Amino acid sequence: MKQVINAVIFTFAVLAVVSSAMAEEHSIKVNIPFKFIAGSTPLPAGRYTISSQDNLTVEIQNSKQHGTMVRSIPIHDNESETGKIVFTVRGNRYFLTKILCQDVDLNVELPISKDEKKGSHEEKPLHGNDEVGIWLDK
C-alpha cells in the first residue's frame, strides 16, 4: 500500500513539473512601419512576433531573424482589450515602451533605456506628441 501511495505522489509531482515547464506562451503579431529601438537594440521596420512566457522577458522577432530579448515589467491595463503597442518618440527615433494586449494576457512595460533617457533631454518629438500607438490586427 505504501508503494502505491508513493507512486501516486510521484506521478502528481511529475505532472506538476511538466505543466509548469509547458507554461503558456503569450504572443502577438504586428506590422511596425518604421525602424525602432527595443531595449538597446535597433530593429528595422517589418512584421514582428512579440512573445513572452512569463511577462518578465519579451522576445521580439521578425522573419529575417532580426530580434532581441528585452526585460519587461508586468502592468495592469484594462483598456487594452483589442491590443496595441506604444512607442515613445524622440526626434526621429521610436522606442518601444509598452505592449498592451488583454486578449493574450500580455501587458508589459519596457524600462527606459540609456539612449531613450539621453534622447528625452536632447530631442523633441517631430510632431509635438511623444507617444505613438499601433493597434493590433484582430
Side-chain angles (χ1 to χ4, degrees):
M1 182 68 165
K2 191 174 184 179
Q3 287 179 329
V4 172
I5 292 172
N6 286 340
V8 169
I9 291 171
F10 177 76
T11 301
F12 280 118
V14 168
L15 288 174
V17 169
V18 169
S19 65
S20 66
M22 296 179 65
E24 183 180 338
E25 183 175 293
H26 310 282
S27 69
I28 56 174
K29 292 190 185 297
V30 62
N31 187 35
I32 302 173
F34 43 77
K35 61 184 179 179
F36 65 101
I37 299 168
S40 60
T41 305
L43 296 167
R47 185 136 182 92
Y48 284 85
T49 299
I50 301 173
S51 61
S52 178
Q53 290 187 351
D54 57 10
N55 280 348
L56 298 175
T57 305
V58 173
E59 182 177 10
I60 303 162
Q61 188 75 37
N62 73 7
S63 61
K64 296 183 176 101
Q65 302 306 316
H66 290 104
T68 189
M69 295 285 282
V70 182
R71 195 170 45 94
S72 60
I73 303 163
I75 58 173
H76 298 286
D77 186 294
N78 295 330
E79 298 177 18
S80 64
E81 293 88 22
T82 56
K84 71 177 177 177
I85 57 175
V86 180
F87 297 86
T88 299
V89 183
R90 298 288 175 226
N92 63 352
R93 299 186 304 166
Y94 293 80
F95 296 89
L96 179 60
T97 54
K98 290 182 188 174
I99 302 159
L100 304 170
C101 190
Q102 242 357 62
D103 292 346
V104 295
D105 194 26
L106 182 57
N107 287 328
V108 295
E109 187 168 23
L110 280 63
I112 296 173
S113 68
K114 290 178 185 177
D115 285 343
E116 187 178 350
K117 282 181 188 175
K118 184 179 174 185
S120 67
H121 299 295
E122 297 174 357
E123 300 171 312
K124 299 280 187 218
L126 288 177
H127 302 291
N129 189 356
D130 67 346
E131 280 193 354
V132 171
I134 295 179
W135 294 95
L136 304 177
D137 298 331
K138 277 262 180 183

